[in-house]
Amino acid sequence: MSLIEDNTAPRRVLILAAHPAPRRSFAGRAMRKAAREVEGVTFADLYAEYPRGDINADAEQARLEAHDAIIFLHPFFWYSTPAILKEWQDIVLEHGWAYGHDGNALSGKLFFSALTAGGPEEAYQPEGYNHFPVRTLLSPLEQTADLCGMVYLPPFAFFSAGHAHEDNRINEHVAEWKGLLMALRDHTLDIETARALPRLDGQLKPLTGEK
Amino acid sequence: MAGILLDATIYLVAAVILVPICTRFGLGSVLGYLIAGVLIGPILGLVGQETQDLQHIAEFGVVMMLFLIGLELEPRALWDMRMRLLGLGGLQVGLTAALIGAACMAMGLQWSVSIAIGLTFALSSTAIVMQSLAEKKLDKTEGGRASFSILLFQDIAVIPMLALLPLLALPMVMGTGLEADIAHGADAAHGAADAAHGADASHGPSLNLTEGMPGWAYGLTVLAAVGVVVGGGMYLTRPLFRFIARSGLREMFTATALFIVIGIALLMTLVGLSPALGTFLAGVVLANSEYRHELEADIEPFKGLLLGLFFITVGAGIDFEVLTADWMLIGGLVAALIGAKAAVLMVLAFVFKLRGRNRWLMALSLAQAGEFGFVLISFNVQNNVIPADLVPVLSLVVALSMLITPLLFILYERVFHNKFAEGDDDREADEIDQRGTTIIAGHGRFGQIVHRVLAASGYEIVVLEHRSEFVDNMTKFGVKTFYGDATRPDLLHAAGLHNAKQFVAAIDDKEQITELVKHVRRERPDIHIVARAIDRHHVYQLYAAGANDIIRETFDSAVRAARSALEGLGEHPFEAEKAVRFFVKHDRETLVKLAAAWREGESVWDNPEYLAIARSQTDLMEQTMRNDRETARDNAMDRAWMPPDKRPEEEVDED
């Protein structure tokens, strides 16, 4: 509870969503819809804003400067993001702005990735066929955030996305997702504890001190 | 009448036979003309003394040539070469005159005669050298540019020479009444005009306005004349050409172009300046004009024919009697002349830091005496500077040295060009880069866009447009556009088709685009052609005509409209983008299939094969695009992003 600061303004949360085939996205679609409903959250669909990939660096940088927490919302393609999010990093995170000499525009902002994976949770461990935990696989993003002086949080993951509707799983996940966004906004999330976790999903209650 | 026709036939036949043969064997057109002249003159005796008169007319080709050279040279470029012009040119004339003069004195000639001969032989042949340099594409090399600087200086230097040479008049022949009315400064000036434009000496006095003027008035008149040329070039040509362009008559342009060149030559003659220099100046002034390529295309054939005629007369004028009478002496003199001039040039090339083959090019190309040599010889005799008995020998030396020049060029090409290739490679690569020009034919709604994108990317472009009001409007926007009908072969040539890197056919007319592409492909099998297609059938025609990239003029905009319409129905923008990407890809495949079935001149409605392909391709596309939407399986649009468990059973693996 150490990070709850009563007299600070709500955190401004930016979600950069990317799915190249939104019609084929099931779990992701529910998460995008939920994100749009949370007050105080800015939602951006990168493939809709840049269907031809011509990312506007100035506009993106201004948008980042106007927010305190940045979240990538995307399917887990080849242990990474869809192509447009890589392009976004290449174009927007400029030297002298995001990193390097005088590059501190993102310093202190929160960053994490909310992803939907096709494989089951068990696959992402040394014995599983994906061999590595999701956080390890995302280490390029973690290091990118670190170089930019951002506070990196572990991924908020959803597994077996193709079976999202079984056992009410997706509804539970979406509910936690909304709660997470609100906790970020309202400074009720224990950031210091969260930073050390392997994943954020399933951790909302302990991190907000709820029973 | 029949006599004129016969003479003309003899000249033309000789040229038509020998010039192509010489070019074929890589000897260059100049040598062809010269040999033609030798053949019809001294060898066959078909033409006689009239060649001397003809030569004066033909020298006008040099005037036109300098106009054309001026057109290629922007004022800034001229200013940039001022050091070379004055330094290199001045030293060449001075040193060569001194060396040859000293040699003449050593051979026992009087000092004044020696100086006159030295100055006469110091000049080189602009006609032969510039023609050969351009023909062998050496004019843009360092050596070629240095040679041009020297030639330009020589053309300027002729004027003071003509003014000063009469002061060297021989005392013992003075007052013999031969030319008692000459030998004043003002007359010398008229002589200059005479000499350079080749008018008969008897016309001179009546045409020279500056005769008898005091020095200050003469100076003012000359300045005014130059002002007229520069001012007229800058402010009057544009409205004049616009007016002519509205008439839509091609020959009016030719007439106007000739009027400009001849008019300036006349003006220069009237004030006692060199017409060649005047037209050169006018050319430089017009180098930035949007009518430049049109002017080039109009003057070029006249220049070519007149220069050819000039070379023939040089060949025809060689006096075999004098040569055979004393061939050892003549041969020795020619060799000494070429050797002395080349030696001076070699030293200067070294001093002015020309490297490798450029040094050899300058030394070998300028080692002859020139057309001004003939002029100065007769002028010197008229003014009693040189005794008349020296004339046949001197004229023969000039002519033979000119005759040998093409051989020296061949020597340069065969021996020195490749041998010293490494010395200046960096420099030449730059120059070739600059020539990576794109010609855009048509500057309407289509060509403009192409132009703006290429220009913004820093590429060199020549734009041709045949509607003068378009050219004007574009000029107001600061866009450099040249007036001219791009479907004219000569204009395309003047615009630089022979060494352009790319050609964009962007004119409106369907048939003309096809003809244009065919012509460009014939002229330049290696050039990259981007062609504007009016419709689908036009694509097939352009493909057959040899275009590399064929762009349907409304296709891309229609595709974008379709994409907007999909977005307007609420489609995700990237889904709309994928749909049109798929459509474009499919349409291109269809086009290739249909092109195979399409027959030139046959309506597609009478072509069952074509119709069958068109129908089946349309069905295929609709099926694919709908299929994608409904079953989300095995589709062409979303293959990469298909979730694993939506694929057919056998493709599902454990993840």
Side-chain angles (χ1 to χ4, degrees):
Chain A
M1 307 312 272
S2 61
L3 283 200
I4 295 177
E5 301 143 37
D6 297 324
N7 53 356
T8 32
R11 277 204 193 90
R12 300 161 297 174
V13 178
L14 172 64
I15 295 176
L16 295 170
H19 199 302
R23 279 207 302 258
R24 311 205 172 287
S25 150
F26 300 99
R29 183 186 299 159
M31 290 181 72
R32 289 194 292 274
K33 182 168 173 288
R36 287 175 201 266
E37 291 165 1
V38 179
E39 205 182 313
V41 170
T42 307
F43 181 85
D45 178 349
L46 289 181
Y47 274 108
E49 291 183 8
Y50 306 111
R52 281 159 293 289
D54 47 350
I55 290 166
N56 180 340
D58 290 334
E60 290 300 320
Q61 290 176 354
R63 187 149 71 180
L64 290 176
E65 283 167 5
H67 290 84
D68 308 305
I70 319 298
I71 304 169
F72 282 1
L73 172 59
H74 59 94
F76 202 36
F77 283 176
W78 287 110
Y79 314 109
S80 179
T81 67
I84 201 169
L85 275 171
K86 179 62 166 65
E87 178 83 347
W88 181 93
Q89 295 166 51
D90 296 350
I91 287 174
V92 179
L93 304 182
E94 285 182 305
H95 181 269
W97 181 83
Y99 70 103
H101 186 65
D102 285 344
N104 48 18
L106 300 175
S107 175
K109 296 186 194 293
L110 299 179
F111 175 82
F112 71 92
S113 169
L115 57 89
T116 52
E121 188 173 354
E122 315 83 75
Y124 293 92
Q125 51 186 316
E127 307 77 45
Y129 64 83
N130 284 322
H131 296 115
F132 302 97
V134 174
R135 178 164 183 164
T136 310
L137 291 169
L138 281 178
S139 44
L141 273 187
E142 181 166 352
Q143 173 55 29
T144 301
D146 189 67
L147 192 68
C148 296
M150 302 172 88
V151 177
Y152 183 79
L153 301 182
F156 182 70
F158 182 68
F159 297 97
S160 303
H163 308 275
H165 297 291
E166 292 166 12
D167 309 328
N168 205 29
R169 284 178 55 235
I170 186 63
N171 294 337
E172 284 170 16
H173 186 72
V174 167
E176 189 180 23
W177 166 236
K178 282 175 106 166
L180 176 63
L181 294 176
M182 287 186 273
L184 278 172
R185 178 192 68 195
D186 302 335
H187 298 267
T188 55
L189 195 78
D190 179 352
I191 301 296
E192 282 312 313
T193 310
R195 290 179 76 164
L197 298 171
R199 295 208 313 264
L200 280 182
D201 48 289
Q203 304 293 325
L204 182 63
K205 281 183 183 170
L207 287 174
T208 50
E210 275 181 50
K211 291 284 154 341
Chain B
M1 185 64 191
I4 295 175
L5 291 180
L6 178 66
D7 282 346
T9 309
I10 293 170
Y11 281 103
L12 289 171
V13 166
V16 164
I17 293 174
L18 284 158
V19 174
I21 292 178
C22 281
T23 345
R24 178 80 179 271
F25 290 108
L27 306 176
S29 69
V30 177
L31 192 61
Y33 283 117
L34 291 170
I35 294 175
V38 174
L39 204 65
I40 59 174
I43 291 181
L44 296 178
L46 294 173
V47 291
Q49 269 308 307
E50 81 279 5
T51 52
Q52 296 308 317
D53 304 331
L54 217 45
Q55 193 168 41
H56 291 312
I57 300 167
E59 273 163 13
F60 203 75
V62 181
V63 174
M64 289 178 162
M65 175 183 240
L66 276 160
F67 179 67
L68 292 174
I69 292 171
L71 277 180
E72 299 269 339
L73 201 69
E74 290 181 15
R76 231 175 55 92
L78 183 63
W79 180 245
D80 287 345
M81 60 188 269
R82 63 195 184 280
M83 281 305 294
R84 282 223 161 142
L85 190 69
L86 297 177
L88 199 54
L91 284 172
Q92 187 273 338
V93 172
L95 291 177
T96 313
L99 185 63
I100 294 175
C104 289
M105 282 178 76
M107 284 191 283
L109 289 172
Q110 203 177 330
W111 67 270
S112 60
V113 177
S114 301
I115 290 178
I117 293 176
L119 287 172
T120 304
F121 282 176
L123 303 177
S124 309
S125 171
T126 307
I128 290 185
V129 177
M130 288 315 290
Q131 180 75 14
S132 302
L133 285 175
E135 203 169 283
K136 297 177 191 303
K137 297 196 171 32
L138 294 168
D139 49 344
K140 306 287 183 221
T141 63
E142 278 294 295
R145 284 178 198 189
S147 300
F148 174 65
S149 308
I150 294 178
L151 288 168
L152 199 59
F153 179 84
Q154 291 177 353
D155 287 343
I156 299 169
V158 170
I159 298 155
M161 280 190 203
L162 289 163
L164 298 175
L165 278 170
L167 304 178
L168 299 173
L170 295 167
M172 57 277 213
V173 286
M174 270 299 258
T176 56
L178 254 176
E179 295 282 337
D181 60 332
I182 314 190
H184 311 293
D187 280 321
H190 104 237
D194 250 10
H197 91 127
D200 221 21
S202 56
H203 297 168
S206 59
L207 274 176
N208 194 336
L209 295 177
T210 56
E211 202 166 345
M213 273 188 188
W216 60 269
Y218 175 67
L220 280 182
T221 316
V222 168
L223 277 182
V226 171
V228 166
V229 171
V230 173
M234 281 165 75
Y235 300 109
L236 292 182
T237 46
R238 197 161 287 152
L240 174 67
F241 279 125
R242 205 174 297 155
F243 173 70
I244 300 294
R246 264 186 218 121
S247 77
L249 292 170
R250 165 96 200 276
E251 66 274 18
M252 277 304 108
F253 254 107
T254 314
T256 312
L258 281 176
F259 154 69
I260 288 175
V261 174
I262 295 175
I264 290 169
L266 174 68
L267 178 68
M268 292 294 117
T269 309
L270 289 178
V271 300
L273 285 180
S274 150
L277 217 59
T279 50
F280 171 74
L281 192 62
V284 173
V285 172
L286 289 172
N288 282 321
S289 160
E290 54 267 44
Y291 294 95
R292 172 183 133 191
H293 291 301
E294 174 74 37
L295 281 168
E296 275 178 30
D298 286 332
I299 295 290
E300 184 73 41
F302 291 100
K303 176 216 96 176
L305 278 178
L306 283 175
L307 272 187
L309 184 59
F310 171 74
F311 298 139
I312 293 183
T313 60
V314 170
I318 288 177
D319 193 337
F320 266 57
E321 271 177 42
V322 179
L323 180 61
T324 46
D326 210 347
W327 66 270
M328 293 262 291
L329 173 70
I330 304 282
L333 286 176
V334 172
L337 171 67
I338 291 176
K341 292 193 78 166
V344 170
L345 288 161
M346 261 327 248
V347 171
L348 289 178
F350 183 76
V351 173
F352 279 78
K353 299 193 173 67
L354 283 174
R355 286 169 300 164
R357 57 183 176 192
N358 287 315
R359 196 180 288 176
W360 284 100
L361 177 61
M362 191 178 93
L364 290 176
S365 67
L366 295 176
Q368 76 294 106
E371 52 273 9
F372 280 119
F374 294 125
V375 175
L376 284 185
I377 289 169
S378 55
F379 180 77
N380 281 327
V381 174
Q382 282 164 27
N383 288 289
N384 308 314
V385 181
I386 294 177
D389 54 341
L390 284 179
V391 170
V393 174
L394 293 178
S395 297
L396 189 58
V397 169
V398 173
L400 285 175
S401 73
M402 287 165 83
L403 191 65
I404 286 170
T405 302
L407 302 175
L408 293 180
F409 268 103
I410 294 167
L411 175 73
Y412 167 78
E413 270 191 318
R414 302 270 155 94
V415 179
F416 298 106
H417 188 70
N418 294 326
K419 194 173 165 189
F420 293 98
E422 308 80 17
D424 46 10
D425 263 356
D426 313 347
R427 199 70 185 244
E428 300 229 327
D430 278 346
E431 285 158 4
I432 290 161
D433 263 5
Q434 275 182 8
R435 288 260 147 178
T437 309
T438 296
I439 300 177
I440 302 177
H443 205 253
R445 290 171 302 152
F446 197 91
Q448 262 177 49
I449 307 264
V450 180
H451 173 214
R452 279 164 57 191
V453 174
L454 291 187
S457 310
Y459 286 97
E460 220 165 271
I461 303 149
V462 177
V463 182
L464 298 173
E465 169 60 48
H466 70 285
R467 287 165 293 188
S468 64
E469 64 275 13
F470 257 70
V471 178
D472 290 347
N473 291 339
M474 286 304 119
T475 309
K476 279 177 208 143
F477 271 109
V479 173
K480 197 85 212 126
T481 308
F482 294 105
Y483 171 84
D485 179 355
T487 56
R488 270 171 48 198
D490 54 348
L491 194 80
L492 282 175
H493 186 78
L497 178 63
H498 49 292
N499 49 18
K501 187 166 188 176
Q502 183 167 239
F503 184 86
V504 181
I507 52 178
D508 299 327
D509 188 274
K510 187 173 162 181
E511 307 305 324
Q512 281 191 342
I513 295 172
T514 315
E515 286 312 308
L516 193 54
V517 169
K518 280 184 189 162
H519 170 76
V520 171
R521 182 50 77 217
R522 251 197 321 272
E523 293 287 307
R524 284 286 308 278
D526 56 321
I527 201 169
H528 187 93
I529 303 178
V530 178
R532 168 186 184 177
I534 306 301
D535 55 32
R536 188 176 281 266
H537 300 156
H538 197 205
V539 174
Y540 311 144
Q541 289 169 339
L542 289 171
Y543 182 75
N548 299 86
D549 291 326
I550 303 162
I551 315 295
R552 278 177 281 171
E553 58 175 4
T554 53
F555 183 74
D556 288 85
S557 40
V559 163
R560 289 179 57 194
R563 194 174 61 204
S564 292
L566 282 177
E567 288 179 18
L569 289 168
E571 282 247 11
H572 187 281
F574 193 64
E575 298 285 3
E577 172 67 19
K578 283 188 291 179
V580 299
R581 276 185 201 173
F582 172 75
F583 174 83
V584 169
K585 183 166 154 263
H586 174 87
D587 186 77
R588 195 170 298 149
E589 285 163 8
T590 307
L591 204 61
V592 171
K593 286 184 185 165
L594 288 174
W598 181 79
R599 310 264 175 277
E600 172 94 60
E602 185 187 282
S603 163
V604 295
W605 305 109
D606 302 331
N607 185 336
E609 190 193 349
Y610 184 100
L611 290 177
I613 295 172
R615 219 173 286 128
S616 79
Q617 286 292 113
T618 311
D619 290 348
L620 179 66
M621 182 175 64
E622 286 181 5
Q623 227 173 356
T624 316
M625 289 178 78
R626 289 225 186 98
N627 197 21
D628 171 59
R629 199 159 282 273
E630 284 151 18
T631 70
R633 144 178 312 219
D634 228 11
N635 62 86
M637 286 165 56
D638 267 345
R639 279 174 45 182
W641 304 308
M642 187 86 78
D645 44 354
K646 300 297 175 198
R647 295 229 170 103
E649 286 310 313
E650 64 273 16
E651 286 180 34
V652 176
D653 56 29
E654 57 208 287
D655 64 332

